[in-house]
């Protein structure tokens, strides 16, 4: 099942990648693959922007607009004037 | 990450959860909750004495009470209070060479892990996630590098095991920074499988997880198990809406108040069941990417199925009422569809943010129109 609403914000800087494989390990939807010792994005459309890859990358090669894809949390954030929370 | 004065946890924009924090800051916790081991009652087998600490060893079996409580959790009751004390536990007969498995303090998760480690001799390190499961807590930031470093230091894992590895569940990775955990605790984070049922095989394979163990699913079973909680959360809205119908029927002098009210309440129950049971069941085949649109589609089909023939031979006032009810049913299913984004395993933050902000004005306008049509039709 896919969720194609807007462009997924996931970006990977291949030059910074040191091939530690953590992004590939932690991704719950197997978005990354290892190619000649470096990570590449294989299935960007499957990305749910959880941010695990970004957190685990030791060299900051990954950026993503991470958060929880939960409407109630987003509504709470709007009501309370903060970022999404539940 | 901080707790607001309304009691909700907010994750700030951050490069790292530990930016600007010293080890002293990380190791200091204000107002730490001190839960007793009472909830684990009959599951504690014995106590290991380690210097000043007493570590409980826990059974791999669930008691009848444990199983009953799991059902209670799945029905959506008492969820925030179902937790175990954070800290160190043993299963089997662990020693200084045994693996350390990390989990959260939601008792259901803890139970899954101790059952999943049946036959193993291991340590279980429980992080304080305030009774929230691993993946949600990881998203919120309570299952994080900071909390892991805190517990590793608090329980002196360096002195308990000779190795320097902790096994974190894969879904705990969201706000985990292995390079920082190593820096502040000397421990290396490795990631275990997603599901606790795969733990034994993971260990047998030399702590290697295959693709299946590393891929999250959202099967029919995964989706339907969420339905009771969604229904539970909708009950208060059923009561509010039923009260609204009761009042307008009473005030407008409706002759057949019992019959009409019954039909109206059944319509709302029908819409709620559509949004909480049918929606997750049919999710893969509902058209559109947007969940609110999927809900609107399902709501349209459902309402026309019941109200379709009521339009034939009806008066203008009658049709005003029918349109109001149809719109109300579509709105309820659409809202519940959007709410379901919080229960899926694949909706992206950007996407849900976008469709929520687009949907809310439409929900408000539709709601007002629906209420006006139904109310006015009763007074005419």
């Amino acid at each position: 099942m896919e969720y194609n609403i807007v462009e997924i914000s996931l970006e990977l800087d291949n030059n910074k990648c040191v091939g530690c494989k953590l992004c590939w390990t932690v991704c719950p939807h197997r978005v990354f693959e290892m190619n000649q010792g470096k990570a590449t994005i294989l299935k960007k459309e499957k990305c749910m922007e959880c941010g695990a890859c970004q957190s685990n990358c030791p060299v900051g090669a990954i950026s993503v607009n991470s958060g929880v894809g939960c409407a109630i949390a987003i509504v709470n954030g709007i009501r309370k004037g903060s970022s999404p929370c539940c | 990450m901080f707790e607001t004065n309304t009691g909700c946890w907010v994750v700030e924009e951050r490069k790292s959860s530990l930016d600007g924090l010293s080890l002293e800051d990380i190791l200091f916790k204000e107002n730490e909750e001190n839960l007793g081991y009472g909830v684990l009652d009959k599951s504690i087998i014995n106590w290991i004495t380690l210097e000043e600490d007493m570590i409980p060893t826990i059974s791999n079996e669930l008691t009848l009470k444990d199983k009953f409580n799991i059902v209670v959790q799945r029905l959506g009751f008492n969820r925030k209070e179902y937790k175990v004390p954070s800290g160190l536990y043993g299963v089997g007969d662990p020693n200084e060479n045994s693996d350390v498995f990390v989990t959260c303090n939601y008792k259901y998760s803890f139970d899954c892990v101790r059952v999943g480690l049946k036959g193993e001799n291991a340590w279980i390190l429980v992080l304080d996630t305030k009774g929230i499961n691993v993946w949600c807590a990881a998203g919120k930031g309570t299952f994080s590098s900071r909390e892991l470093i805190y517990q590793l230091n608090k329980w002196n894992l360096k002195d308990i095991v000779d190795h320097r590895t902790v096994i974190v569940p894969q879904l705990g990775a969201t706000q985990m920074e292995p390079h920082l955990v190593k820096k502040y605790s000397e421990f290396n984070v490795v990631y275990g499988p997603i599901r606790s049922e795969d733990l034994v095989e993971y260990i047998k394979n030399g702590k290697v997880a295959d693709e299946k163990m590393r891929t999250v699913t959202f099967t029919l079973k995964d989706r339907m198990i969420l339905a009771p909680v969604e229904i539970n959360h909708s009950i208060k809205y059923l009561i509010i809406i039923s009260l609204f119908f009761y009042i307008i029927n009473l005030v407008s002098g409706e002759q057949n108040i019992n019959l009409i009210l019954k039909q109206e309440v059944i319509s709302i129950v029908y819409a709620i069941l559509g949004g909480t049971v049918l929606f997750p069941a049919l999710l893969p085949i509902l058209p559109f990417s947007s969940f609110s649109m999927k809900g609107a589609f399902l709501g349209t089909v459902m309402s026309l199925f019941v109200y379709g023939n009521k339009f034939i031979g009806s008066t203008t006032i009658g049709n005003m009422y029918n349109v109001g009810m149809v719109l109300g049913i579509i709105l309820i299913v659409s809202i519940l569809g959007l709410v379901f984004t919080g229960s899926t395993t694949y909706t992206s933050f950007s996407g849900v943010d976008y469709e929520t902000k687009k949907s809310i004005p439409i929900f408000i306008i539709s709601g007002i129109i629906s209420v006006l049509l139904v109310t006015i039709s009763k007074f005419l």
Side-chain angles (χ1 to χ4, degrees):
Chain A
M1 283 175 288
E2 268 164 33
Y3 189 59
N4 298 318
I5 306 285
V6 292
E7 172 88 38
I8 296 292
S9 58
L10 180 67
E11 305 273 340
L12 165 61
D13 184 347
N14 192 258
N15 293 322
K16 285 189 181 164
C17 177
V18 294
C20 72
K21 295 200 212 170
L22 274 172
C23 55
W24 169 77
T25 302
V26 300
C27 181
H29 292 288
R30 320 314 291 152
V31 166
F32 298 93
E33 67 171 353
M34 299 309 294
N35 207 337
Q36 294 174 330
K38 287 208 178 189
T40 53
I41 296 173
L42 177 66
K43 299 183 243 172
K44 191 169 174 178
E45 70 281 1
K46 293 271 185 199
C47 173
M48 65 185 286
E49 298 178 326
C50 67
C53 50
Q54 180 178 242
S55 297
N56 280 268
C57 179
V59 296
I62 298 178
S63 75
V64 63
N65 185 21
S66 66
V68 186
C70 169
I72 300 253
I74 288 163
V75 168
N76 281 341
I78 296 169
R79 276 177 46 223
K80 289 165 181 166
S82 63
S83 38
C85 60
C86 51
Chain B
M1 186 208 57
F2 59 92
E3 188 178 36
T4 67
N5 58 3
T6 51
C8 80
W9 289 87
V10 175
V11 177
E12 299 163 83
E13 295 293 282
R14 54 134 188 79
K15 281 258 179 313
S16 157
S17 66
L18 304 179
D19 259 351
L21 294 178
S22 65
L23 185 60
E24 257 167 21
D25 296 326
I26 298 165
L27 298 185
F28 176 70
K29 221 192 233 189
E30 225 174 12
N31 302 325
E32 187 166 16
E33 193 176 17
N34 259 323
L35 293 170
Y37 289 103
V39 71
L40 289 166
D41 202 22
K42 309 231 176 343
S43 303
I44 297 179
I45 297 176
N46 60 25
W47 295 84
I48 303 171
T49 314
L50 286 170
E51 310 226 345
E52 290 157 19
D53 296 313
M54 300 275 282
I55 315 291
T57 26
I58 291 286
S59 142
N60 298 117
E61 309 281 341
L62 298 184
T63 63
L64 203 60
K65 191 171 173 194
D66 291 334
K67 292 178 189 173
F68 172 74
N69 277 321
I70 286 172
V71 173
V72 168
Q73 294 301 301
R74 282 297 183 194
L75 292 174
F77 296 106
N78 196 37
R79 294 201 324 160
K80 284 252 173 95
E81 295 312 310
Y82 197 51
K83 43 195 174 181
V84 300
S86 56
L88 197 59
Y89 296 79
V91 283
D93 185 19
N95 59 31
E96 64 278 5
N97 298 315
S98 303
D99 291 321
V100 180
F101 292 87
V102 183
T103 189
C104 64
N105 77 334
Y106 178 38
K107 186 169 183 297
Y108 187 4
S109 308
F110 178 73
D111 284 349
C112 288
V113 173
R114 64 187 175 95
V115 167
L117 288 172
K118 191 163 185 179
E120 302 295 324
N121 301 311
W123 301 101
I124 301 178
L125 184 63
V126 172
L127 306 190
D128 181 2
T129 58
K130 308 190 187 315
I132 303 291
N133 69 81
V134 168
W135 209 9
C136 288
K140 283 168 105 157
T142 46
F143 190 103
S144 61
S145 322
R146 181 176 184 165
E147 175 61 14
L148 177 57
I149 293 164
Y150 176 79
Q151 297 291 346
L152 284 170
N153 277 283
K154 181 178 176 184
W155 292 88
N156 283 313
L157 263 297
K158 273 194 295 196
D159 297 335
I160 294 176
V161 293
D162 289 342
H163 63 79
R164 290 290 177 264
T165 303
V166 281
I167 303 168
V168 172
Q170 186 178 331
L171 295 182
T174 316
Q175 296 203 43
M176 195 57 63
E177 297 143 306
H179 50 289
L180 295 177
V181 172
K182 172 119 194 209
K183 178 180 171 186
Y184 288 109
S185 74
E186 293 177 25
F187 277 85
N188 296 302
V189 168
V190 303
Y191 287 103
I194 287 173
R195 287 165 281 271
S196 56
E197 296 89 338
D198 291 331
L199 278 170
V200 167
E201 198 181 334
Y202 168 77
I203 295 165
K204 222 168 60 163
N205 291 346
K207 282 178 246 151
V208 172
D210 59 32
E211 279 299 296
K212 194 151 162 275
M213 290 182 189
R214 294 229 174 275
T215 311
V216 131
T217 57
F218 205 38
T219 62
L220 179 66
K221 186 177 170 198
D222 293 332
R223 301 193 303 272
M224 296 320 295
I225 203 162
L226 302 166
V229 174
E230 304 292 324
I231 294 172
N232 188 325
H233 289 169
S234 303
I235 289 175
K236 58 180 172 287
Y237 298 107
L238 171 64
I239 294 171
I240 292 169
I241 299 171
S242 301
L243 215 62
F244 158 76
F245 277 114
Y246 178 70
I247 291 167
I248 57 165
N249 279 323
L250 202 65
V251 172
S252 66
E254 173 60 62
Q255 303 282 27
N256 296 320
I257 192 169
N258 286 334
L259 179 69
I260 299 297
L261 187 61
K262 190 167 129 189
Q263 281 173 359
E264 285 161 351
V265 171
I266 287 173
S267 298
I268 304 305
V269 170
Y270 176 62
I272 288 175
L273 289 177
T276 56
V277 179
L278 265 187
F279 184 92
L282 300 176
L283 184 61
I285 61 169
L286 291 173
F288 306 107
S289 284
S290 143
F291 275 47
S292 46
M293 291 288 290
K294 286 179 191 283
F297 174 84
L298 178 61
T300 304
V301 170
M302 284 178 66
S303 60
L304 290 180
F305 190 70
V306 169
Y307 274 85
N309 61 349
K310 293 193 194 209
F311 285 95
I312 303 165
S314 176
T315 63
T316 311
I317 296 168
N319 279 336
M320 200 185 214
Y321 174 83
N322 290 334
V323 169
M325 290 300 285
V326 162
L327 191 56
I329 290 173
I330 295 172
L331 179 63
I332 288 171
V333 184
S334 186
I335 290 174
L336 289 171
L338 182 63
V339 164
F340 195 64
T341 52
S343 306
T344 71
T345 61
Y346 69 97
T347 48
S348 65
F349 171 63
S350 300
V352 176
D353 189 58
Y354 179 84
E355 73 156 305
T356 301
K357 288 170 178 163
K358 281 269 176 300
S359 303
I360 287 176
I362 299 173
F363 287 161
I364 293 172
I365 293 169
S366 312
I368 292 170
I369 294 174
S370 168
V371 166
L372 282 176
L373 285 174
V374 166
T375 308
I376 292 171
S377 68
K378 285 191 184 287
F379 283 91
L380 289 175

